[in-house]
Structure formats: C-alpha cells, structure tokens
Amino acid sequence: MATDRIPLSVPTLGDREASYLLQCVEENWVASKGRFVSEFERLFASIHSRPEAVSTSSGTAALHLACLELGLGPGDEVLVPAMTFAATANAVMYTGATPVFVDLDPLTFGMDPERAAAAVTPRTRAILVVHLYGHPTDMAAISSLAADHGLPVIEDATEALGSLHRGEPCGTIGDFGCFSFNGNKVITAGGGGMVVARDPARLSHIRHLSLQSRVPGTAEYLHDEVGFNYVLSNLQAAVGLAQLERLDEFVARRREIAARYASALAQVPDLAFPLEAEWARSNYWLMSVLVAPGPGKRTRERVMADLASAGIEARPFFQPLPALAPYGKGAEPFPVAVELHARGISIPSSASLTSEQQGRVIDVLLGSA
Ligand SMILES: *Cc1c(COP(=O)(O)O)cnc(C)c1O
C-alpha cells in the first residue's frame, strides 16, 4: 500500500541544476556578479520578447521595485485584488501608498474589471493585477480601464510564469511584470525574482535601485538616491537558468495533470474543478477544487481532513486580505473573494506528481478512498 506523503508543489531538480551549481563553485563565482545571472536574465527576457530583464532577490523585491519606480508614496492609492498572497499588498505598503482592494472575477480569480472601474478615485496611481494560481487576469478590460484613466499597470505574475493571455506571456501585457522563483513556484531558483518592463529606461532605473543606487563608472562609492540590495546571486541564477530551460516541459506536465483532474472530477456533485477561460492558457501553478455549498455535501474542512489523513498536502485558498489586521479597511464587501476562500482548496500540482499519486488524490476527492 502506497503511503508516501504527496506534497502540494515541489521543485523538479536534476543533473542540470547540479552541474550549473558545480560550475559556480569551480569558477569561484557565487555572489551577485557571475555569468549565470546574465544568462538567466537573457533567456528570461527572450521568452518574454523583451530586450532585457532584471533579476531580483525575491518576487516581493520585484514588486517593491516596480512600485518604487512608479514613485508611489503616502496618499497614493493602488488597486489590488482582494484575494492574493500578502506580498502583493505589502509591496504597495512598503512605499507608504494604500492598497485599495477590488473583488475578484469568479471565473479567472483575477481582479474584476467592473469593480476596478468603480474603485478608481482621483488618488488612484496604479493598478496591480495578480494572475492568481497561474490563470491570467482578463487584461483586455483592465488595460482599457487603465488607458481611460492614464494609469500604469503592474502584473504580479509571480504565479504565472509560462501562462499566456490571448497568446501573450503574462507579465508582458502591462507596464511591469514581476515574477518569483521561490521553492514552490513553477520554476525555482531557491528564491529570487525577475522584473520585465515595457519601457527600457524604467527597467534600467529598476536595476539601479536594486544595486544600492551606486553610480557606475567610478571607483568611488557614489550613490544618487536611497537604493536596495535586491540582487540575485550567481548560485540562485544557476539553478534558475537550469529550471527555466525546462519551463515548457514543466508547464506541459502541469497541464496534463490538470486535464486528468478535470475529467476525473467532472461528475462529482459536490466539487468543481475550475476551468480555463477560452482566451487563456494557464500554467496551472496550483490546481484547485471548489467545494459546493449545501446540505448533505462535504464541507471544505471535511475534504481537507480527508486529504490530510491520506497523507496528501492541500491548502485553503489565500485569505481575503481586507479581513486581516494589517490591511483591513472600509465597509466594502468582497463577496466573490469571501466565497472563493470559503470553498477553495489547492491540491497537489507538482510537475513531478506521479500518475499513481494523482490517482490517490482523485480517489479521496471522489470520496471513494
Ligand atoms: C509567491 C508570491 C509572491 C512573492 O514572491 P517571493 O519570491 O516569495 O517573494 C508575490 N505575490 C504572489 C501572488 C505570490 O504568489
């Protein structure tokens, strides 16, 4: 009887990562200057049809740099989806600006464009969208809202590397795209992030800020503004590059896993496997089920407990942020975020999930394990 524990989302590491890491040691380049940093950035930029990409120490740092680049500060408002990982809202708050939460579109799990339009005020300075769990936000509607008000758009694409919105990579539709390579994302660098931008001058300034704002071209330590140490190490970039070279394989495998969940769960009366919009291609970073409300149905807690006792890692959806102490404000209700949180469970989604392991997850979800 198989009893190995099935994790939610773990990296697939192999010989290529080991060989690149060994090269760092042999070449004596482990810190922020090193060829893997530039090779990782170059490949990342080319995948995103941009001349350049700037690597960062984390996805949170990438988001913070994009917010800094917009000159956000106290009194400024930024539209942020009501349900996301806390780092999205924190990046705004680090600048002193205020996240103004917007409810979600129940189909994409992204910011609802109509609710976003209603939340714009004279103090709104930017729109920060999140491609939650890898499914693209409806950017057509968000982009036109942004254009109407002259607002820049930051894409928190930390969960959406390899996802496409109408054929275009997530992170390249707005003004800035921010990515993460922490341990449970679609690829990992053992921690790290990346920024791409529409305007190369703004991206250069982001790089400058990430390097302590030290003025180049002189041996003197001259700094022209308050900068940050937000750079990626060569060790991290070595792992990141090896992983990025396998991105298509990882996304293809996750999509295969999603297709099997979708067909296996299609007939279960009390669970729904969320579907992809026809214009979207999700990387299926985290797959999920939505537990149906109603008498006689299993509760979310019951399904999570059944998964846990079968040795299967599952997580509730992110909290609606306006409910939490650091963010809570206003009387605005967020019915979609609240309902998704009440019903949503993230289920094992790793590219390395075996067919046998997925079978075990499905058996529990079917209620037959
Ligand atoms: C992972 C994540 C981040 C932060 O990335 P780190 O690299 O962990 O700092 C930000 N936003 C969202 C939505 C995320 O899922």
Side-chain angles (χ1 to χ4, degrees):
M1 199 180 82
T3 51
D4 61 313
R5 191 167 171 281
I6 303 176
L8 186 73
S9 179
V10 286
T12 306
L13 302 169
D15 293 345
R16 194 186 303 225
E17 288 78 9
S19 138
Y20 289 3
L21 278 171
L22 188 62
Q23 288 174 53
C24 293
V25 174
E26 285 171 353
E27 293 166 12
N28 214 40
W29 282 110
V30 295
S32 64
K33 292 198 181 68
R35 68 183 175 90
F36 285 112
V37 175
S38 31
E39 284 179 35
F40 185 33
E41 289 182 349
R42 214 173 299 128
L43 179 60
F44 197 93
S46 99
I47 288 171
H48 292 88
S49 306
R50 293 277 193 247
E52 212 185 325
V54 171
S55 57
T56 59
S57 51
S58 69
T60 308
L63 287 163
H64 187 199
L65 288 167
C67 290
L68 288 163
E69 180 56 29
L70 292 177
L72 298 176
D76 294 338
E77 296 178 353
V78 178
L79 304 188
V80 172
M83 190 175 82
T84 176
F85 183 56
T88 313
N90 289 347
V92 172
M93 292 174 76
Y94 296 158
T95 68
T98 304
V100 170
F101 294 105
V102 175
D103 208 2
L104 307 191
D105 171 341
L107 298 178
T108 64
F109 298 175
M111 183 184 284
D112 181 322
E114 281 180 30
R115 298 248 178 192
V120 172
T121 76
R123 291 181 299 281
T124 309
R125 294 286 172 267
I127 303 177
L128 204 180
V129 299
V130 181
H131 305 299
L132 203 71
Y133 300 131
H135 192 291
T137 295
D138 180 359
M139 295 301 290
I142 295 289
S143 302
S144 83
L145 173 68
D148 288 349
H149 295 274
L151 296 170
V153 176
I154 301 173
E155 293 177 71
D156 179 339
T158 50
E159 301 180 355
L161 174 61
S163 297
L164 303 178
H165 174 279
R166 299 184 189 276
E168 287 187 280
C170 283
T172 66
I173 300 140
D175 298 275
F176 301 94
C178 302
F179 297 84
S180 164
F181 313 117
N182 82 18
N184 73 9
K185 296 299 199 307
V186 166
I187 71 164
T188 188
M194 196 78 77
V195 187
V196 296
R198 188 167 294 286
D199 178 348
R202 297 195 115 169
L203 193 67
S204 301
H205 186 237
I206 281 178
R207 188 185 293 286
H208 184 62
L209 287 170
S210 78
L211 291 163
Q212 304 277 26
S213 299
R214 186 170 170 205
V215 177
T218 161
E220 297 294 339
Y221 287 89
L222 302 180
H223 303 262
D224 56 4
E225 60 191 305
V226 175
F228 299 82
N229 176 6
Y230 273 174
V231 292
L232 192 74
S233 77
N234 203 46
L235 289 173
Q236 291 169 307
V239 177
L241 177 64
Q243 291 265 292
L244 189 59
E245 289 170 349
R246 302 174 64 189
L247 175 63
D248 290 348
E249 168 198 333
F250 294 156
V251 172
R253 178 65 193 131
R254 278 180 131 95
R255 291 181 59 80
E256 211 171 78
I257 293 167
R260 182 168 167 207
Y261 277 134
S263 73
L265 301 174
Q267 304 309 328
V268 186
D270 59 357
L271 293 180
F273 185 82
L275 298 175
E276 200 175 42
E278 40 92 345
W279 44 263
R281 186 176 183 278
S282 176
N283 67 1
Y284 282 104
W285 169 56
L286 283 190
M287 298 168 220
S288 53
V289 287
L290 296 176
V291 180
K297 307 265 178 64
R298 287 176 289 179
T299 61
R300 182 187 78 158
E301 285 61 36
R302 179 59 207 272
V303 175
M304 298 237 304
D306 288 349
L307 289 165
S309 57
I312 297 164
E313 188 185 6
R315 301 242 183 106
F317 272 16
F318 295 125
Q319 281 286 341
L321 292 181
L324 302 180
Y327 315 102
K329 58 183 62 76
E332 175 81 14
F334 301 93
V336 177
V338 167
E339 193 194 325
L340 285 175
H341 173 253
R343 296 178 52 199
I345 303 173
S346 299
I347 56 176
S349 309
S350 311
S352 58
L353 188 72
T354 66
S355 169
E356 181 273 329
Q357 288 176 321
Q358 189 175 11
R360 280 172 51 202
V361 179
I362 289 169
D363 283 345
V364 174
L365 294 174
L366 293 174
S368 58

